[in-house]
Amino acid sequence: MNTSKTKDKYQIAVVPGDGIGKEVMEATIFVLDSLDIDFDYVYAEAGDECLEKTGNALPGETLDIIRNADACLFGAAGETAADVIVKIRQEMKMFANLRPVKTYPNTDSLFENIDFMIVRENTEGMYIADEESYTDDGAVARRIITREAEERIIDYAFNYALENNKTKVTAVHKANVLKKTDGLFKEIFYDVAERYPDIATEDFYVDATAMYLITQPQSFEVIVTTNLFGDILSDEGAGLVGGLGLIPSANIGEDGALFEPVHGSAPDIAGQGKANPIAMMLSAIMMLRYIGENEAADRFDAAILKVLNDANILTADLGGNASTMEVAQAVKNNL
Ligand code: ATP
């Protein structure tokens, strides 16, 4: 991610989508507007409602708006989520999926002081969905590992560590069994590491990592791994630090980036003003860091921390009874 402010004005594609996506987006824009940064928001449609209205869950116009923007904020899509997000990732060549795992106060976190980033390769591995047709006795899937894509994600992880004052990157693989594919991943990891002599390295098997995330989660700073392992460990990370209402994510590509909460459209609470906007806000903070607005990101993050510490104005998922916009107002008051 960039470390210095790069522009005076930023064009942000805003895709609220379905259900609580709209509510958490409104709350987040409300706070972003108080940061004294010149944002030009370009709203675009995607998701179930868009499909119903236009016959297309992801119109070309929306893709163009995302493509032309400095960054995209995405709320949530309902049933069409997989299609919409997978297509945007492919079209925008978003090769890195970032999932921070961090403890916040007054939440259901299992441990204190967890703060690490999972950097997951997003374009290959098991998830190219290249499952050959059924065979006589079962089915076969292919796992693709290329030097180019793995070097790109590993370099991204080291660079992320460098720019965010992290001291160590952990590679996660299964090279003892997947000797060729993950053997290559591990080899590339240590080759790339030579370019970053100040960053410490270690590598673990994925099964051991699944255990270490429970027994010593505070020891991790940046984890880099392939597509399927990253997907699984990210959800384990989410479980470690409590509810869905607090987990942001980023998809980074060469030509653009998209920031979205991990939760979906939550039809069970949509339209009731009950949704926790913090996951969307933390996604916007990742966006601020991506465009180089680190000072604003720090202020926004500190304001959220204050609201969680005070524990007076929280949504129902965190044990309170405040509305989405009341939380937004409280965050704004603490900026
Ligand atoms: P979708 O089909 O869009 O994925 P879903 O309901 O299957 O929707 P989520 O939207 O991720 O999946 O929600 C899972 C559960 O977590 C729901 O009970 C929902 O109300 C709750 N939830 C998700 N996000 C939030 C949030 N921001 N604030 C409060 N509760 C949330």
Side-chain angles (χ1 to χ4, degrees):
M1 292 198 196
N2 304 330
T3 46
S4 58
K5 183 170 164 26
T6 47
K7 281 188 176 180
D8 291 330
K9 184 172 186 150
Y10 304 96
Q11 196 174 97
I12 307 297
V14 179
V15 188
D18 298 317
I20 65 166
K22 294 198 194 82
E23 299 161 55
V24 297
M25 187 67 80
E26 185 191 350
T28 300
I29 300 283
F30 176 76
V31 181
L32 279 177
D33 276 342
S34 317
L35 291 172
D36 298 325
I37 300 172
D38 205 353
F39 287 122
D40 178 12
Y41 304 113
V42 186
Y43 280 78
E45 290 182 307
D48 297 4
E49 271 184 37
C50 180
L51 175 66
E52 218 164 280
K53 211 164 95 186
T54 68
N56 189 348
L58 182 63
E61 197 193 340
T62 297
L63 269 175
D64 287 341
I65 290 172
I66 298 174
R67 206 171 275 129
N68 292 327
D70 292 304
C72 172
L73 283 176
F74 190 93
E79 298 291 314
T80 52
D83 295 340
V84 169
I85 273 298
V86 168
K87 183 133 186 246
I88 295 175
R89 279 180 186 158
Q90 278 170 353
E91 289 284 326
M92 304 288 299
K93 300 188 178 64
M94 291 175 170
F95 63 88
N97 183 240
L98 304 193
R99 289 271 293 263
V101 182
K102 184 171 173 178
T103 359
Y104 283 95
N106 292 312
T107 61
D108 288 336
S109 185
L110 300 179
F111 302 94
E112 286 179 4
N113 303 323
I114 301 176
D115 186 3
F116 63 89
M117 179 67 83
I118 299 180
V119 178
R120 164 189 167 198
E121 208 290 324
N122 228 0
T123 66
E124 57 180 30
M126 277 317 291
Y127 282 8
I128 52 164
D130 185 3
E131 292 194 299
E132 286 165 23
S133 52
Y134 291 103
T135 57
D136 288 345
D137 50 5
V140 177
R142 287 201 309 152
R143 179 171 196 259
I144 303 283
I145 294 291
T146 66
R147 283 197 173 78
E148 191 185 351
E150 301 307 329
E151 182 174 341
R152 182 173 57 183
I153 197 73
I154 292 166
D155 190 70
Y156 187 89
F158 275 101
N159 203 35
Y160 176 88
L162 204 61
E163 293 192 347
N164 291 275
N165 302 317
K166 305 280 187 186
T167 64
K168 183 178 69 176
V169 178
T170 307
V172 174
H173 58 79
K174 190 67 183 168
N176 53 339
V177 176
L178 303 168
K179 290 197 170 83
K180 293 199 171 65
T181 49
D182 267 5
L184 190 59
F185 174 81
K186 184 177 163 185
E187 187 187 311
I188 296 168
F189 174 74
Y190 284 108
D191 284 348
V192 172
E194 286 181 17
R195 293 182 220 148
Y196 297 88
D198 296 333
I199 308 280
T201 52
E202 65 187 3
D203 71 279
F204 295 134
Y205 298 134
V206 64
D207 43 352
T209 307
M211 180 183 70
Y212 297 149
L213 285 181
I214 305 291
T215 56
Q216 50 180 72
Q218 295 93 344
S219 72
F220 292 101
E221 297 187 44
V222 177
I223 288 177
V224 63
T225 188
T226 49
N227 207 338
L228 172 64
F229 297 160
D231 194 15
I232 297 168
L233 296 180
S234 295
D235 274 23
E236 188 181 352
L240 273 177
V241 295
L244 269 179
L246 290 169
I247 316 225
S249 75
N251 292 284
I252 310 282
E254 270 153 22
D255 304 325
L258 179 146
F259 302 84
E260 56 167 343
V262 167
H263 66 70
S265 66
D268 54 335
I269 57 164
Q272 300 170 35
K274 281 186 190 170
N276 185 350
I278 293 180
M280 185 76 239
M281 290 181 180
L282 294 174
S283 307
I285 290 171
M286 293 182 83
M287 179 193 80
L288 289 170
R289 296 197 194 284
Y290 171 79
I291 61 177
E293 293 285 350
N294 288 318
E295 199 183 307
D298 289 344
R299 277 174 66 209
F300 197 165
D301 201 37
I304 291 174
L305 201 58
K306 179 86 171 54
V307 169
L308 291 170
N309 261 319
D310 291 349
N312 295 324
I313 300 169
L314 299 175
T315 44
D317 56 311
L318 298 181
N321 55 14
S323 70
T324 307
M325 287 311 287
E326 281 166 350
V327 172
Q329 185 65 56
V331 172
K332 184 171 170 172
N333 293 345
N334 282 304
L335 280 175

